[in-house]
Amino acid sequence: MQTLAELEIGAEAYVSRLDAPPPDAQRLMEMGLTAGAKVRVMRQAPLGDPLEVAVRGCRLSIRRADAQAVILSGDDHV
Amino acid sequence: MSDSRPDGNEAGILHIALAGNPNSGKSTLFNLLTGLRQKVANYPGVTVEKKEGVLRLPEGLEVHVVDLPGAYSLNPRSPDEEIAHDVVLGLRDDTRPLDLLVVVVDASNLERNLFFASQLLGVGRPVVIALNMMDVARAAGFVIDVPSLQLALGVPVVAMAANRGEGVAELRAVIARQLTAPSVPRERIPLSPSVAEIVDAAGEAMVAAGLAKLDWARGEVLRLISSQKALDHRRLAGAPSVRAAVEKARGELAARGVAWHTLEATQRYRWIESVLRRARGQREVSENVTDRLDRVFTHRVLGPAILLAVVFAVFAAIFQLAQYPMDAIQSGFDATGRLALRLLPEGLMQDMLVNGVLAGVGSILVFLPQIMLLFLFLGILEDSGYMARVAFIMDRVMGRVGLHGKAFIPLVSSFACAIPGVMATRTIENARDRLVTILVAPLMCCSARWPVYFLLAGTFIPPVRVFGLIPLPAIIIFAMVVLGVVAAVLMAGVFRRTIARGENPSLILELPPYRMPAFGAVFRVMIERGWIFVKNAGTVILAISIVLWALSAFPRRPGASPSEQIRQSYAGKIGHLIEPVIQPLGFDWKIGVAILASFAAREVFVSSMGTIYGVETADSENPTDLRERLRAEADPATGAPFFTPLRAVSLMVYYVLAMQCMSTMAAVRRETGGWKWAVFQFAYMGVLAWGASFLVWHGGRWLGFP
Ligand SMILES: Nc1nc2c(ncn2[C@@H]2O[C@H](COP(=O)(O)OP(=O)(O)OP(=O)(O)O)[C@@H](O)[C@H]2O)c(=O)[nH]1
């Protein structure tokens, strides 16, 4: 089981589910991180945290601790 | 005709709102639609800006327009989003139910923007979509089939590029048409039959409770099912049947293995994907300009280096450029004072005007150029997209002390002046983050502290060179700056663990594409913010200036010298009264009077000391006379010099930590929506200052310093 925090820079994967408390999970999903969405880690900040993630055509900054809640899978079959 | 409008507003006056994601171009569009017929205020009780204006349509229609704060969702996570939610759903007493929602959508970021739009399509109001930023979308290689998008969304869609005025005429026409023949969009989110049955059953409960129409109930029900906060909202307090129906639906969904709290977002995005499959040509994801710039601006080494350079450049520019207008304002006030002295008959009135009003307000207004310039630079940083990168780079560091990366710039700004710093916290979405940042911002070493430090360190710290290199006074002043930062960090940590605990504050931050800043709009905001500051100076600060003046002017002793007058005034009496409180810090009643007077602004300390010690030319640039006079002051008990280095350090520490600035208090009151936090801040900083000075004074004595 891979999380967004572990995804290599430049690599792509699909969101499988979110393992965050409901209010946080809700906002992450509203920002586009729903099951099946393609994500890609663009880069990390100079100090290693947060991450810049591309999802649904926009760029988001997410802290590693929160990215750990985003569970990934290799394909988009939810 | 008016019967067909959703609510019976006063005849002739129609109400519309602009809603959309942050950065979608709402403000630009708002300015285009309303021109100069607009007014900016705050929503009562919160720090959210309320922008209203009037749109004149061809057929003589007068339309009242509000520009809603940017939001990502109808499920609010910030005060801004809360306001957007309340206005859209018609829950506020100070805004009218809407006749039309103009939803601004960024065509270059269509998928995410359509999420909020899809929620807005389901609130039972007529909707027009302003498909903005078409120029950016085109440049990025998106092909958007507008008619097919319109068909899929079921509402008029107008393609626009608001910054160039493209599409505005058509938007006006469409708005006019929608207002004369309004139609509420039908809900279009497709659900699998079994889920639809459960959801629509709860929808019928909403219809029965008069909260929705059958045509569009599904969207709102989806939101209530997925969001506990939405279900707990006060607007459903009177509708227990709806709550019960939604809870029943959740149970049934769970029984079928459907995770209800993910239902809304999942279904909406699924629908958006299907809409876009039809309406948008696929494109290759290639590296764009923003990516190339980010390679540099967020580079491991270059990123922080550039950030440092930007901060230095901004500061250098502020201090250089602000000097001329500051001098002009200062001499303007001085000249007006002299004129008043000449024209007005000597007496109370003249004294109040010159020494109360002009001196007090003048000492605040000299900061106006600095503040305006800071707003100008902040606006450019924000509008260009660089501000989000600053937050990205600094988030790790700020996160350590429980703050958001976005708190960095407001705190850095506070090194010039806490007022723009406090006002710049508006970009922090989370209310708690914003509060903590506001509470610690005035601990940063603002420019009004320098004259105090220069006077005290320059006069009483022996100018020996440490390691034969750096003068000791400079080291002491540097230590004061560091002390402020350390105190801010510690207090931020304390507040995070006490009064501002709560959910993950800084979950997610959008990194928008870099853009050429719209200088006109930036300029406009600078003027607006500057004006707010001047209005503050004209009310709260004016009142406090007069009170402070009265304290030192009464009781009057005609013919007394200024120094005798202040010594026997109420201010002098208060100084004596508080002497027991400040004696443990090494201060006497005279310092007490100067502290009291410099509540107006910290740098007033210098001129107040001048008045108290009877030195007429207490010029803060080079107070030579005052320095000599202070050095000569003897300790009544011992006859040795009163101002020892230790006493000076204790006093400086007090000025590092104490909230000696009524304009900042006024700004905090305004930004937090009441006196509560301003007073709290005043109190905690006072306690901190007292404690630290106490430790310095007694610790120093114990170590054997005189
Ligand atoms: N290229 C282009 N830029 C635009 C367009 N519309 C607005 N802008 C620019 O986009 C930036 C953001 O626009 P604003 O009007 O401030 O956006 P907003 O939605 O009010 O943003 P918030 O105030 O953050 O909610 C500004 O620099 C505008 O000049 C457009 O159609 N095309």
Side-chain angles (χ1 to χ4, degrees):
Chain A
M1 192 185 77
Q2 195 187 21
T3 71
L4 183 57
E6 294 150 10
L7 194 62
E8 266 170 49
I9 292 172
E12 281 181 355
Y14 296 87
V15 176
S16 149
R17 64 191 167 83
L18 299 179
D19 196 11
D24 286 358
Q26 189 180 16
R27 179 44 59 105
L28 291 171
M29 286 189 296
E30 288 170 344
M31 297 300 279
L33 292 163
T34 56
K38 186 157 82 173
V39 289
R40 175 180 190 160
V41 177
M42 301 302 292
R43 56 178 61 81
Q44 55 181 16
L47 295 170
D49 193 19
L51 303 171
E52 179 181 334
V53 175
V55 62
R56 297 186 190 275
C58 66
R59 302 295 154 85
L60 305 173
S61 158
I62 304 180
R63 289 186 180 167
R64 277 182 183 277
D66 299 315
Q68 246 150 26
V70 182
I71 316 291
L72 304 177
S73 72
D75 54 46
D76 62 351
H77 301 302
V78 185
Chain B
M1 168 104 349
S2 65
D3 298 348
S4 61
R5 279 207 295 276
D7 281 274
N9 278 330
E10 290 164 58
I13 301 182
L14 296 162
H15 293 258
I16 71 176
L18 301 182
N21 282 180
N23 257 310
S24 53
K26 285 182 314 304
S27 308
T28 312
L29 191 53
F30 177 75
N31 291 341
L32 273 178
L33 291 177
T34 61
L36 291 172
R37 297 178 294 270
Q38 51 175 267
K39 109 175 179 246
V40 182
N42 262 23
Y43 286 93
V46 285
T47 59
V48 180
E49 226 163 56
K50 181 180 191 183
K51 289 169 108 185
E52 297 171 292
V54 175
L55 161 65
R56 296 223 166 85
L57 289 172
E59 294 94 47
L61 276 175
E62 284 244 327
V63 184
H64 177 270
V65 190
V66 274
D67 182 15
L68 293 177
Y72 289 113
S73 162
L74 269 186
N75 298 309
R77 267 181 88 96
S78 71
D80 282 19
E81 290 184 337
E82 201 118 9
I83 294 285
H85 167 270
D86 290 357
V87 175
V88 164
L89 294 179
L91 304 175
R92 289 190 69 89
D93 299 333
D94 56 345
T95 53
R96 305 303 305 264
L98 300 171
D99 297 291
L100 175 69
L101 260 171
V102 177
V103 179
V104 185
V105 168
D106 176 354
S108 68
N109 187 356
L110 196 50
E111 201 165 339
R112 218 275 319 289
N113 271 248
L114 280 180
F115 178 82
F116 187 40
S118 84
Q119 286 182 322
L120 295 173
L121 285 170
V123 296
R125 300 280 136 187
V127 171
V128 171
I129 303 261
L131 187 61
N132 195 30
M133 307 255 182
M134 279 302 272
D135 54 327
V136 185
R138 250 177 263 131
F142 290 114
V143 186
I144 299 171
D145 176 358
V146 176
S148 127
L149 188 63
Q150 180 161 305
L151 203 66
L153 299 179
V155 294
V157 176
V158 181
M160 328 192 44
N163 65 330
R164 311 183 192 168
E166 271 176 49
V168 176
E170 194 192 340
L171 181 67
R172 286 161 168 274
V174 172
I175 289 175
R177 219 180 312 134
Q178 275 288 302
L179 285 172
T180 41
S183 72
V184 172
R186 297 173 59 93
E187 183 56 58
R188 289 167 182 253
I189 308 279
L191 298 173
S192 69
S194 57
V195 173
E197 197 180 314
I198 298 170
V199 171
D200 292 342
E204 273 157 34
M206 276 200 84
V207 175
L211 288 167
K213 296 255 164 63
L214 207 51
D215 267 2
W216 49 268
R218 187 181 274 185
E220 273 298 273
V221 171
L222 274 177
R223 207 164 66 77
L224 296 181
I225 286 177
S226 286
S227 165
Q228 190 56 38
K229 231 166 134 186
L231 189 61
D232 290 340
H233 194 273
R234 62 190 148 77
R235 94 187 157 111
L236 295 182
S241 60
V242 173
R243 291 195 54 129
V246 170
E247 268 154 15
K248 177 160 166 272
R250 284 179 177 178
E252 288 171 9
L253 287 166
R256 284 168 191 271
V258 179
W260 50 262
H261 74 267
T262 67
L263 188 67
E264 185 196 10
T266 315
Q267 295 303 327
R268 286 194 191 282
Y269 270 113
R270 205 166 276 170
W271 175 69
I272 291 166
E273 284 163 13
S274 76
V275 168
L276 290 184
R277 262 196 296 276
R278 273 173 282 154
R280 190 176 71 184
Q282 287 297 331
R283 54 144 207 165
E284 277 306 295
V285 186
S286 62
E287 192 177 61
N288 56 26
V289 182
T290 289
D291 280 323
R292 279 198 291 273
L293 286 175
D294 265 342
R295 265 174 199 270
V296 180
F297 285 137
T298 63
H299 184 268
R300 280 181 59 135
V301 182
L302 288 178
I306 292 172
L307 172 56
L308 207 65
V310 167
V311 168
F312 269 108
V314 166
F315 268 77
I318 286 173
F319 286 113
Q320 284 286 315
L321 294 178
Q323 203 50 54
Y324 308 103
M326 282 173 90
D327 290 345
I329 291 176
Q330 188 65 60
S331 48
F333 271 94
D334 290 348
T336 317
R338 279 195 301 276
L339 197 68
L341 283 179
R342 205 142 47 77
L343 293 184
L344 295 175
E346 206 168 306
L348 207 55
M349 198 57 203
Q350 184 212 51
D351 192 27
M352 185 185 86
L353 221 65
V354 176
N355 296 319
V357 174
L358 287 176
V361 174
S363 68
I364 302 303
L365 281 188
V366 284
F367 291 108
L368 183 63
Q370 266 191 15
I371 290 173
M372 302 269 281
L373 278 169
L374 206 47
F375 279 134
L376 180 70
F377 289 120
L378 289 176
I380 292 173
L381 292 180
E382 179 79 45
D383 212 36
S384 63
Y386 186 65
M387 197 72 110
R389 273 68 190 187
V390 177
F392 182 64
I393 294 172
M394 293 307 298
D395 191 60
R396 179 73 188 273
V397 177
M398 305 305 285
R400 280 276 161 83
V401 297
L403 288 174
H404 189 284
K406 279 198 167 180
F408 180 71
I409 287 290
L411 291 181
V412 168
S413 305
S414 302
F415 274 97
C417 176
I419 296 160
V422 165
M423 288 166 85
T425 59
R426 287 180 181 205
T427 55
I428 304 173
E429 288 91 15
N430 183 276
R432 290 193 189 89
D433 265 16
R434 193 185 309 198
L435 179 63
V436 173
T437 311
I438 288 175
L439 287 177
V440 302
L443 290 167
M444 299 292 145
C445 181
C446 66
S447 50
R449 284 177 171 101
W450 293 108
V452 180
Y453 295 167
F454 284 145
L455 174 71
L456 293 172
T459 312
F460 305 114
I461 306 294
V464 292
R465 287 180 182 270
V466 178
F467 307 125
L469 209 66
I470 315 160
L472 185 59
I475 294 183
I476 296 283
I477 291 180
F478 182 69
M480 294 303 138
V481 176
V482 173
L483 175 65
V485 175
V486 170
V489 166
L490 291 179
M491 291 315 295
V494 169
F495 293 142
R496 259 275 160 257
R497 280 173 192 82
T498 52
I499 52 173
R501 277 173 37 191
E503 66 188 42
N504 190 346
S506 35
L507 191 59
I508 207 161
L509 167 78
E510 187 176 3
L511 297 169
Y514 290 103
R515 247 200 282 277
M516 195 64 196
F519 290 101
V522 169
F523 207 73
R524 194 171 182 149
V525 170
M526 176 186 86
I527 301 285
E528 268 168 26
R529 300 278 156 93
W531 179 236
I532 290 171
F533 173 72
V534 172
K535 270 199 295 201
N536 256 332
T539 51
V540 181
I541 295 166
L542 179 65
I544 298 178
S545 300
I546 292 176
V547 169
L548 288 176
W549 164 81
L551 287 177
S552 60
F554 293 99
R556 293 190 77 69
R557 183 116 71 70
S561 75
S563 110
E564 283 165 38
Q565 167 63 35
I566 196 166
R567 279 157 190 260
Q568 57 83 52
S569 69
Y570 291 118
K573 292 196 178 93
I574 294 176
H576 281 290
L577 200 70
I578 62 173
E579 195 169 30
V581 181
I582 57 175
Q583 207 152 30
L585 317 181
F587 308 162
D588 65 353
W589 69 270
K590 290 180 210 163
I591 297 178
V593 175
I595 287 177
L596 183 69
S598 68
F599 177 61
R602 292 178 179 93
E603 90 279 9
V604 171
F605 175 81
V606 177
S607 58
S608 302
M609 289 295 270
T611 314
I612 296 161
Y613 283 97
V615 183
E616 289 303 330
T617 54
D619 179 354
S620 60
E621 293 288 310
N622 188 17
T624 335
D625 298 353
L626 179 59
R627 292 194 161 166
E628 275 160 23
R629 175 68 189 82
L630 291 179
R631 281 205 194 100
E633 178 76 358
D635 190 333
T638 61
F642 175 74
F643 283 100
T644 61
L646 182 62
R647 219 183 281 273
V649 170
S650 173
L651 192 49
M652 278 196 275
V653 166
Y654 177 85
Y655 270 90
V656 171
L657 301 172
M659 175 57 133
Q660 290 277 348
C661 181
M662 60 181 174
S663 352
T664 304
M665 281 190 75
V668 170
R669 187 203 69 129
R670 196 174 176 284
E671 293 300 309
T672 57
W675 281 110
K676 178 177 146 201
W677 290 112
V679 169
F680 171 80
Q681 184 176 42
F682 179 78
Y684 102 75
M685 288 177 71
V687 169
L688 204 62
W690 194 92
S693 290
F694 182 89
L695 283 181
V696 168
W697 178 241
H698 284 274
R701 304 276 290 192
W702 185 72
L703 290 173
F705 288 99

